[in-house]
């Protein structure tokens, strides 16, 4: 086999092909999660008439902990599906585990309480919670008088890639069971429940899904829609209406009403409706229609109301929507934005607070002032409960037998090919070691292994005393933190991640802070062993650095086995929030450039200014925070590695977040500061395109943003995927410079990527180009200033030395960095712009 050497690296052609295939398989797992339809407690498959194929759990691709497979002891009634003939049950807690990617998942749990030779499931009382500690079912029993299955449906937003568990925890002296599980990713617009007053990322349980004016039936996503007749206290107040054809040509939002599509609700929901039953004894000006639903009185609910104007002639019906007597929305507004759009399906989401009456009453009533056709209509209703209950992850007895392996070989066509790939990769690694001795840098001590959303391999560690690493001057008593957060009130929770929940708080001295409290972990809990190293690393890093573009650590607490970090409060939240949250104002291109430049300054300081140099290792849009003035600050240093960056690399366990990980680092396990540069390049592309780094709902070639963006760049089509609000804002020269910077950051070979100092220089230049355009436009109509004068032309800029070569990294302070940049950019001669 011919060995080629280039740029001091060893290349083995066949091995390169194998590495490419392994990377391809990794991309598949990054982008796709399996769809799971599991026949629990059985090896047999069950095909339903609805089209679902439930696979025996031993062959499903999921894994489960120690539990019993039980079978219906009598002959199954003909009316009951074979799916409910078996179950998995235990008197101890057990779980099912799934391989997942980031996204929204629909989870359906199927229960039918039957008796077997070993168990009577009618006596089962148990809880169900997910691996983020949210309770999906509390004190649940499946016993019912109809002998029909109970199906519980949930929507769960998952913000990390890896594994996800559903825990079934029996109450004392009872047992837990489940007959079947559906667990699959769904399009984001399917559950885009975003009422203005709703915050948080709690699971949602479907309580009601009603086809108003139509029959009960299931749609192609196996959602069950029931008829509305049983929910009308006054059946004579309404009558059915229907229409054959819909107008689905409009996409977007009109006056707060969102145009629907087929994944939100099927056509037949909008082709039927309830309208007012107007008679001589029921005049329209004094009538209304009300639906009444019984709900949990101590929970918040989200209501989605579906509308389609199949009633008015000529479509000038204007009416009001109420919940429990409170006006929610005017439908078909007087400014005629909806009126005239014939048969357009749309929906409106809002939140209903807890009510002692345990009822949600939905009413529609004509708007007597604006309507020319006094009527009102409703096509569908969905009511979802916000599941805000939490519980500790139970201790689970693992099976002594081998756990059912996850099906990880499907993408490559079988286990044999995987073996070949692994063998090839091992061969390459050994061959590379023969040809070139790899030295491991003498990095400063790290603590125990752990702390990542992705991990592979074995990482060398040095054991040190945690107390030697702690800054005792930053310690804050647990009692003060409890007081600051009102005992960790869930109403003050502003975020959650792999380490723990984040709360807003105010210290005794009046300082507003963000408090990150680690999840309670044990030897059986998910992510066990990861919290303590992240906690200590964060304190180590942040206690020795200060910079205007790095989040400041206010203090920490390690009392009572707690791991709590207290930071300065960042008023505007994460960069990701401002890219995707439709409730927040969209950032202008100038704001985005300034945010990217600020983040680059922070990372540049980490690489060259902090003592010994620091590699962040988890650069992403959620780890860039914004203060009240939209000043960017880099956050979350739990995965950071510190040490001299003049070494070639350090061999280390791969950690970070899928979609942002440097592919060369993933394959070689050799970390350099250029890994941060790659991740930051993904963030830059995310800022430009306004979409996530990994989006499994998109076509395969578009799922990975870095690959898709670079493909569009090479084809000259990058402008076509720019975030739509920006398309008329960006100066072409600024876009060209910015996109060239992105391309350099995302080079596969780390040696071809720029330093963070070079990235910062390029971003400052892109900002200058954008500001120059603004200055020119401000004067282009002036009769006293020549718009074509040299003062307003785009500058021809000579390449200056990188910032890193003009600054002593060991002694650099924030003010010195800004001074140096000002000196360099003052030579651009562009007015007073920086």
């Amino acid at each position: 086999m011919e060995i080629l050497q280039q740029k001091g690296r060893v290349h083995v052609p066949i091995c390169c092909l194998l590495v490419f295939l392994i990377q391809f398989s990794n991309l598949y797992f990054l982008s796709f999660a399996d769809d799971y339809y599991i026949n629990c407690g059985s090896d047999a498959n069950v095909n339903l008439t609805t089209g679902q194929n439930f696979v025996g759990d031993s062959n499903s691709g999921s894994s489960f902990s120690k539990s019993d497979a039980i079978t219906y002891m009598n002959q199954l009634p003909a009316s009951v599906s074979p799916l409910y003939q078996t179950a998995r049950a235990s008197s101890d807690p057990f779980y099912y585990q799934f391989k997942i990617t980031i996204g929204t998942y629909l989870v359906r749990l199927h229960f039918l309480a039957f008796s077997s030779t070993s168990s009577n499931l009618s006596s089962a009382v148990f809880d169900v919670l997910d691996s983020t500690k949210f309770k999906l079912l509390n004190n649940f029993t499946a016993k019912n008088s109809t002998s029909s299955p109970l199906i519980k449906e949930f929507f769960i937003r998952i913000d990390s890639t890896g594994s996800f568990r559903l825990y079934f925890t029996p109450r004392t002296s009872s047992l837990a069971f489940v007959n079947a599980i559906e667990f699959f990713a769904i399009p984001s617009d399917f559950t885009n429940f975003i009422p203005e007053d709703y915050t948080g990322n709690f699971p949602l349980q479907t309580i009601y899904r009603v086809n108003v004016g139509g029959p009960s039936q299931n749609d192609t996503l196996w959602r069950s829609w029931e008829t509305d007749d049983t929910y009308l206290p006054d059946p004579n107040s309404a009558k059915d209406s229907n229409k054959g054809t819909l107008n689905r040509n409009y996409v977007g939002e009109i006056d707060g009403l969102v145009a629907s599509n087929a994944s939100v609700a099927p056509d037949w929901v909008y082709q039927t409706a309830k309208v007012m039953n107007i008679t001589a004894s029921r005049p329209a000006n004094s009538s209304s229609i009300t639906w009444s639903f019984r709900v949990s009185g101590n929970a918040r609910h989200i209501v989605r109301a579906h509308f389609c104007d199949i009633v008015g002639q000529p479509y000038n019906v204007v009416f009001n929507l109420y919940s429990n007597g409170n006006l929610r929305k005017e439908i078909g507004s007087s400014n005629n934005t909806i009126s005239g759009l014939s048969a357009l399906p749309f929906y409106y989401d809002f939140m209903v607070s807890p009510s002692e009456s345990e009822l949600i009453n939905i009413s529609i009533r004509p708007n007597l002032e604006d309507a020319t056709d006094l009527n009102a209509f409703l096509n569908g209703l969905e009511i979802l409960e916000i599941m805000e209950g939490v519980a500790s992850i139970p201790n689970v007895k693992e099976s002594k037998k081998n756990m059912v392996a996850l099906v990880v070989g499907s993408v490559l066509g079988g286990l044999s090919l995987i073996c070949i790939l692994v063998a090839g990769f091992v061969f390459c690694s050994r061959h590379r070691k023969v040809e070139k001795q790899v030295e491991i840098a003498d990095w400063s001590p790290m603590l125990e292994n752990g702390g990542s959303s992705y991990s592979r391999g074995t990482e060398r560690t040095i054991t040190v005393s945690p107390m030697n690493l702690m800054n005792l001057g930053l310690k804050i008593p647990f009692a003060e933190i409890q007081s600051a957060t009102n005992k960790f009130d869930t109403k003050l929770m502003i975020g959650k991640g792999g380490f723990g929940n984040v709360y807003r708080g105010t210290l005794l001295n009046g300082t507003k802070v963000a408090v990150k409290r680690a999840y309670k972990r044990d030897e059986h809990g998910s992510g066990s062993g990861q919290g303590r190293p992240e906690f200590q690393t964060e304190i180590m890093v942040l206690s020795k650095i200060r910079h205007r573009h790095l989040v400041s650590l206010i203090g920490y607490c390690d009392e009572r086995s707690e791991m709590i970090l207290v930071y300065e409060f960042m008023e505007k939240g994460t960069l990701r929030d401002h890219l995707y949250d439709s409730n927040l104002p969209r950032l202008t291109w100038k704001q985005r450039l300034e945010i990217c430049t600020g983040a680059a300054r922070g990372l540049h300081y980490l690489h060259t200014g902090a003592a010994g140099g620091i590699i962040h290792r988890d650069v992403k849009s959620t780890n860039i925070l914004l203060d009240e003035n939209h000043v960017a600050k880099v956050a979350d240093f739990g995965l950071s590695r510190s040490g001299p960056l003049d070494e070639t690399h350090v061999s280390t366990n791969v950690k970070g977040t899928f979609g942002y990980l440097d592919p060369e680092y993933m394959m070689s396990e050799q970390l350099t500061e250029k890994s941060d540069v790659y991740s930051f390049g993904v963030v830059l592309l995310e800022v430009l395109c306004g979409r996530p780094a990994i989006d499994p709902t998109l076509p395969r070639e578009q799922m990975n943003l870095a690959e898709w963006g670079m493909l569009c760049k090479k084809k000259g089509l990058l402008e076509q995927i720019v975030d739509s609000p920006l398309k008329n804002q960006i100066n072409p020269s600024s876009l060209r410079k910015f996109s060239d910077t992105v391309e350099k950051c995302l080079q596969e070979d780390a040696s071809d990527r720029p330093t963070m100092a070079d990235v910062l220089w390029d971003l400052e230049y892109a900002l200058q180009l954008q500001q120059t355009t603004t200055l020119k436009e401000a004067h282009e109509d002036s009769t006293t200033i020549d718009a074509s004068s040299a003062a307003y032309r785009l500058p021809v800029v000579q390449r200056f030395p990188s910032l890193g070569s003009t600054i002593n990294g060991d002694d650099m302070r924030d003010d010195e960095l800004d001074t140096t940049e000002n000196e360099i950019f003052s030579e651009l001669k562009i007015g007073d712009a920086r």
Side-chain angles (χ1 to χ4, degrees), residues 211-215 228-229 238-244 268-277 289 308-313 375-379:
N211 181 22
V212 177
D228 69 308
D229 292 337
K239 61 181 180 180
D240 295 338
S241 178
N242 61 76
K243 184 185 175 94
W268 43 260
V269 168
Y270 297 105
Q271 289 169 335
T272 61
K274 277 289 195 300
V275 299
M276 294 181 60
N277 185 22
I289 309 175
C308 184
D309 192 346
I310 59 174
V311 178
Q313 294 294 335
N375 208 333
F377 59 87
L378 181 66
N379 301 76

Side-chain angles (χ1 to χ4, degrees), residues 197 296-297 299-301 324 328 351-356 359-360:
D197 50 355
S296 172
R300 295 186 298 165
H301 292 81
N324 292 342
R328 289 295 183 174
M351 191 171 69
V352 178
S353 299
S355 172
E356 293 182 359
L359 290 175
I360 293 180

Side-chain angles (χ1 to χ4, degrees), residues 429 432-433 436-441 648-651 670:
S429 300
R432 187 164 55 242
K433 289 180 180 178
K436 180 179 179 181
Q437 182 66 32
V438 178
E439 296 182 359
I440 298 180
T648 303
H649 65 265
V650 61
S651 293
Q670 296 172 3

